[in-house]
């Protein structure tokens, strides 16, 4: 009996320990059930609440996943003052601040709360309460689209925010009054809004500071002030990047025998005006610096009118007084790059980019080689300069007849083939390959129409490396067509070029101007953007449908 008593006591203690110990059972099915709320304080949907702390108790032990980021609280509170902790099966939020009177607060936990054993997140967990007599119930919902989605982009990082119309802050300076995150498809909904007038924005909050970084993050805005006195649905945001800093000249000064003009951001257009520009004075641009070169010294100040424009349309119109003096500073070496590795059918286009303006070319050592001993001499009529004021981008264009069966063509240039404006010769030799395609290996054509937008259009074939393989400009109508295409998988991108300047223009927030629309072909059944072309194929009858414009639709 004595031993039986000890055995019974041991078994009872073991059972009590097993019941108290929180761990995953050995064997059996995996726990896939999320934590279930047992109690909330304040109670969900309760009125006249002004808590100092918030408690939520669950039916099992829990943990929190980055609560300061993932818990969305509206209207805005000072998150730096919050203390969010979890102890066993309870979440505790210390507010450490006064809440606004007669205001509905929403704590959206998203996937923050997870069970301890399997990390199963709670679903649709919200706490809504009011500091006044009523619960605000208005909604603002819609969809976010990204004009230029980058690899790894996630719509769930996009914030949609509402600012009170009289608020002097905006999306670039402070967090919004109301906010929500988009889901994986770009859909969003902001709930429990107080009736009023608001300004609406959307942005990809990559650094999680609840405001947009206009130099690095994609964003969009609705121009009109929204009066929310009923549920607003169908809102559309089309986010894209656009540095809102106006372009300006930061300094200009001599640099050795040259003259530098430094700007704060990249211009889209550069216009330098003086009768010697393109004759004895040339320039190039890199790293936010325009460098002027002169064939001879000019000790007196030379007035040069400088007109610049950035991608947003901001302009600089000023003048500098340049000097080109003798200098003992050693001239920079002449270097170049080639667009090697390109494929072509019959028309071979070779592009050489130099770090300085080119003055002379020795054609005796410049040619195209094929087979083992055959060459095509490059002559002056084959060559053009992209900009005669810069002379730093050289284009060589010629037609290769089908009678030459070779596949690889190599441009060759010995050292000292090119001489720059400072008298420097190229030290490196040039050897760049280009692959000639056979007609029978090409896809015959790709064509279709664009609906829901108005020309002009820029239509681009985008390859799997996100590079532009082909591009056409459509001035009128809505029909597009590409011919003789290298077989591969492509996407079709369309830019609605409203001003016909042959480039995409981003939004201009200070001038309240939307970005030009960008959209893609999408198969209406599969929702895939990919188009696979094979040799001899013709794909026609494609329809590209423009998405809704930014705003309420």
């Amino acid at each position: 009996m004595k031993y039986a008593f000890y055995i019974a006591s041991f078994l009872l203690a073991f059972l009590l320990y097993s019941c108290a110990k929180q761990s995953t059972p050995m064997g059996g099915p995996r726990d896939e059930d999320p934590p279930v709320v047992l109690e909330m304080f304040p109670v969900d949907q309760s009125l006249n609440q002004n808590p100092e702390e918030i408690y939520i108790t669950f039916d099992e032990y829990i943990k929190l996943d980055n609560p300061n980021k993932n818990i969305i609280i509206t209207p805005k509170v000072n998150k730096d003052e919050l203390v969010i902790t979890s102890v066993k099966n309870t979440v505790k939020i210390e507010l450490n601040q006064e809440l606004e009177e007669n205001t509905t607060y929403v704590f959206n936990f998203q996937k923050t709360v997870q069970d301890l054993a399997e990390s199963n997140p709670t679903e649709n967990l919200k706490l809504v309460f009011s500091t006044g007599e009523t619960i605000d119930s208005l909604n603002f919902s819609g969809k976010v689209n990204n004009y230029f989605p980058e690899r790894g982009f996630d719509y769930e990082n996009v914030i949609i925010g509402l600012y009170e119309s009289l608020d002097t802050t905006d999306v670039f300076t402070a967090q919004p009054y109301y906010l929500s995150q988009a889901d994986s498809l770009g859909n969003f909904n902001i709930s429990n809004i107080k009736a009023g007038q608001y300004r609406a924005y959307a942005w990809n909050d990559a650094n999680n500071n609840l405001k947009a970084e206009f130099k690095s993050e994609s964003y969009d805005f609705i121009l009109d002030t929204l009066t929310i006195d009923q549920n607003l649905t169908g809102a559309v945001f089309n986010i894209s990047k656009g540095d809102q800093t106006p372009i300006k000249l930061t300094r200009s000064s001599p640099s050795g025998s040259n003259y530098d003009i430094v700007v704060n951001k990249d211009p889209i257009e550069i216009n330098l005006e003086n009768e010697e520009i393109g004759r004895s004075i040339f320039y190039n641009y890199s790293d936010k610096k325009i460098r002027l070169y002169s064939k001879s010294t000019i000790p007196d100040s030379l007035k040069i009118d400088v007109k610049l424009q950035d991608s947003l349309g901001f302009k600089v119109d000023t003048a500098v007084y340049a000097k080109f003096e003798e200098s003992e500073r050693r001239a920079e070496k002449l270097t170049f790059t080639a667009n090697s590795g390109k494929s072509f059918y019959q028309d071979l286009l070779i592009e050489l980019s130099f770090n300085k303006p080119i003055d002379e070319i020795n054609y005796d050592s410049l040619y195209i080689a094929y087979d083992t001993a055959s060459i095509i001499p490059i002559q002056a009529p084959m060559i053009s300069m992209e900009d005669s004021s810069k002379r730093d981008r050289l284009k060589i264009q010629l037609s290769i007849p089908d009678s030459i069966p070779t596949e690889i063509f190599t441009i060759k240039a010995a050292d000292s083939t090119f001489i720059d404006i400072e008298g420097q010769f190229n030290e490196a030799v040039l050897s760049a390959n280009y692959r000639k395609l056979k007609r029978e290996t090409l896809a015959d054509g790709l064509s279709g129409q664009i609906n829901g937008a108005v020309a002009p259009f820029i239509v681009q074939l985008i390859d799997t490396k996100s590079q532009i393989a082909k591009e056409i400009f459509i001035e009128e109508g809505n029909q597009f067509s590409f011919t003789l295409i290298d077989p591969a998988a492509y996407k079709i991108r369309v830019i609605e070029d409203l001003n016909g300047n042959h480039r995409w223009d981003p939004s201009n927030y200070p001038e309240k101007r939307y970005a030009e629309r960008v959209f893609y072909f999408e198969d209406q059944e599969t929702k895939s953007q990919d188009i696979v072309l094979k040799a001899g194929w013709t794909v026609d009858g494609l329809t590209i449908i423009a998405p809704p414009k930014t705003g309420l639709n």
Side-chain angles (χ1 to χ4, degrees):
M1 294 293 293
K2 180 178 180 180
Y3 293 110
F5 173 80
Y6 287 139
I7 293 171
S9 299
F10 174 79
L11 291 174
L12 178 61
F14 178 80
L15 287 172
L16 290 172
Y17 174 77
S18 298
C19 291
K21 182 177 176 61
Q22 299 290 321
S23 61
T24 304
M26 298 297 290
R30 178 179 176 177
D31 177 18
E32 296 182 356
D33 295 328
V36 176
V37 174
L38 298 179
E39 185 179 5
M40 284 184 172
F41 176 79
V43 175
D44 186 39
Q45 304 294 320
S46 59
L47 305 176
N48 299 312
Q49 300 293 322
N50 196 0
E52 295 181 357
E53 297 177 339
I54 292 172
Y55 296 91
I56 303 179
T57 303
F58 299 87
D59 65 342
E60 59 181 313
Y61 280 21
I62 53 93
K63 61 183 179 181
L64 302 178
D65 178 24
N66 198 357
N68 287 324
K69 174 185 177 182
N70 294 331
I71 299 177
I72 295 178
I73 305 171
T74 59
K76 68 179 178 182
V77 298
N78 186 351
K79 277 198 168 185
D80 292 336
E81 298 295 327
L82 299 180
V83 178
I84 306 173
T85 56
S86 65
V87 178
K88 296 183 179 179
N89 64 334
T90 300
V91 173
K92 177 182 177 182
I93 301 177
E94 301 174 51
L95 296 174
N96 297 317
Q97 59 197 286
E98 290 294 326
L99 300 181
E100 296 183 28
E101 296 180 354
N102 300 314
T103 300
T104 299
Y105 283 87
V106 179
F107 287 70
N108 187 342
F109 290 83
Q110 302 191 99
K111 298 181 180 180
T112 304
V113 180
Q114 304 174 356
D115 67 35
L116 188 62
E118 299 292 346
S119 300
N120 297 311
T122 55
E123 298 177 357
N124 303 316
L125 176 59
K126 284 186 179 181
L127 169 60
V128 180
F129 64 88
S130 174
T131 58
E133 297 286 345
T134 59
I135 295 287
D136 297 319
S137 58
L138 297 175
N139 292 340
F140 175 62
S141 61
K143 185 175 177 58
V144 179
N145 176 46
N146 189 349
Y147 280 159
F148 298 98
E150 300 173 341
R151 187 179 299 276
F153 172 79
D154 186 351
Y155 276 110
E156 293 184 345
N157 291 326
V158 175
I159 298 290
I160 300 86
L162 295 175
Y163 291 73
E164 293 179 300
S165 61
L166 297 180
D167 192 343
T168 57
T169 64
D170 58 38
V171 70
F172 303 113
T173 58
Q175 73 178 74
Y177 191 70
Y178 289 106
L179 64 89
S180 180
Q181 282 181 275
D183 64 18
S184 60
L185 298 177
N187 300 306
F188 70 88
N189 179 60
I190 303 178
S191 63
N192 299 99
I193 302 171
K194 182 187 299 184
Q197 291 188 317
Y198 300 92
R199 290 172 286 118
Y201 306 83
W203 69 98
N204 183 30
D205 194 25
N207 62 1
N208 191 38
N209 66 353
L210 297 182
K211 59 183 181 179
E213 304 294 336
F214 58 75
K215 290 186 178 182
S216 59
E217 295 178 345
S218 301
Y219 62 88
D220 195 18
F221 49 87
I222 294 179
L223 289 177
D224 299 327
T225 299
L226 302 179
T227 298
I228 301 182
D229 53 11
Q230 60 182 344
N231 292 339
L232 292 185
T233 61
V236 173
F237 293 94
N238 295 294
I239 62 174
S240 59
K241 291 182 180 179
D243 184 352
Q244 299 296 312
T245 307
I247 189 169
K248 63 181 180 180
L249 191 153
T250 59
R251 68 175 176 87
S252 62
S253 60
S255 177
S257 59
N258 307 311
Y259 193 85
D260 288 347
I261 302 171
V262 181
V263 293
N264 66 325
K265 63 183 294 191
D266 292 329
I268 201 76
E269 293 181 8
I270 299 175
N271 186 17
L272 305 181
E273 295 181 357
N274 182 284
E275 61 181 9
E276 293 302 319
I277 299 293
R279 296 172 56 185
S280 63
I281 297 176
F282 304 90
Y283 76 94
N284 71 357
Y285 175 81
S286 65
D287 299 328
K288 301 178 184 178
K289 179 173 62 183
I290 302 168
R291 172 159 288 181
L292 296 163
Y293 300 83
S294 176
K295 285 188 173 183
S296 59
T297 58
I298 305 176
D300 296 328
S301 296
L302 184 68
K303 182 184 177 183
I304 298 177
D305 293 317
V306 179
K307 296 181 180 180
L308 310 174
Q309 180 176 318
D310 65 18
S311 60
L312 275 73
F314 295 124
K315 297 179 180 180
V316 167
D317 189 349
T318 187
V320 298
Y321 293 85
K323 287 186 177 182
F324 301 92
E325 302 174 316
E326 292 186 3
S327 174
E328 295 181 357
R329 181 186 297 181
R330 180 177 298 178
E332 183 182 7
K333 291 183 178 180
L334 176 63
T335 61
F336 58 81
T337 58
N339 64 332
S340 58
K342 297 290 184 180
S343 298
F344 69 98
Y345 172 45
Q346 290 178 324
D347 297 324
L348 172 57
L349 175 61
I350 298 171
E351 296 181 349
L352 303 179
S353 300
F354 297 86
N355 64 324
K356 291 191 286 182
I358 295 299
D359 188 35
E360 297 180 29
I361 300 173
N362 179 10
Y363 291 98
D364 291 339
S365 57
L366 183 63
Y367 58 92
I368 293 174
Y370 63 97
D371 288 339
T372 55
S374 301
I375 67 168
I376 301 174
I378 295 177
Q379 301 171 347
M382 300 176 183
I383 290 183
S384 63
M385 292 290 178
E386 185 175 82
D387 187 337
S388 60
S389 299
K390 298 174 69 177
R391 295 185 62 86
D392 60 352
R393 286 181 63 86
L394 182 150
K395 293 185 176 181
I396 304 171
Q397 192 159 7
L398 66 158
S399 181
I400 306 295
D402 289 338
S403 58
I404 301 178
T406 306
E407 180 179 352
I408 301 299
F409 292 77
T410 306
I411 183 170
K412 297 277 190 178
D415 57 5
S416 303
T417 298
F418 305 103
I419 308 172
D420 68 33
I421 195 170
E422 296 184 294
Q424 300 292 305
F425 295 84
N426 63 295
E427 295 182 0
V429 298
L430 169 64
S431 180
N433 294 331
Y434 301 84
R435 182 169 65 95
K436 186 176 186 297
L437 303 172
K438 297 179 180 180
R439 175 62 183 87
E440 60 269 22
T441 66
L442 299 177
D444 291 339
L446 176 66
S447 62
Q449 65 181 8
I450 301 164
N451 290 343
V454 179
F457 298 117
I458 302 169
V459 186
Q460 300 168 331
L461 273 186
I462 309 298
D463 64 20
T464 55
K465 296 180 180 179
S466 299
Q467 300 297 311
I468 300 173
K470 283 179 174 288
E471 179 178 289
I472 56 175
F473 182 77
I474 301 174
E475 191 167 355
E476 295 180 349
N478 68 338
Q479 305 292 318
F480 68 90
S481 177
F482 295 95
T483 59
L484 301 180
I485 309 163
D486 196 5
Y490 296 97
K491 299 180 189 298
I492 304 177
R493 181 166 66 200
V494 179
I495 298 172
E496 188 180 28
D497 188 19
L498 296 175
N499 57 10
N501 64 357
H502 293 249
R503 63 173 181 262
W504 175 74
D505 293 316
S507 63
N508 186 317
Y509 180 73
E511 295 185 1
K512 306 302 180 185
R513 186 175 66 244
Y514 288 133
E516 290 179 326
R517 277 195 296 177
V518 180
F519 45 96
Y520 301 77
F521 167 78
E522 182 177 275
D523 187 285
Q524 295 302 299
E525 294 183 1
T526 66
K527 302 303 179 182
S528 173
Q529 294 183 345
D530 294 330
I531 301 172
V532 178
L533 297 177
K534 295 185 178 181
W537 280 23
T538 298
V539 177
D540 54 20
L542 297 179
T543 299
I544 303 176
I545 302 173
K549 298 179 180 180
T550 294
L552 297 178
N553 292 274

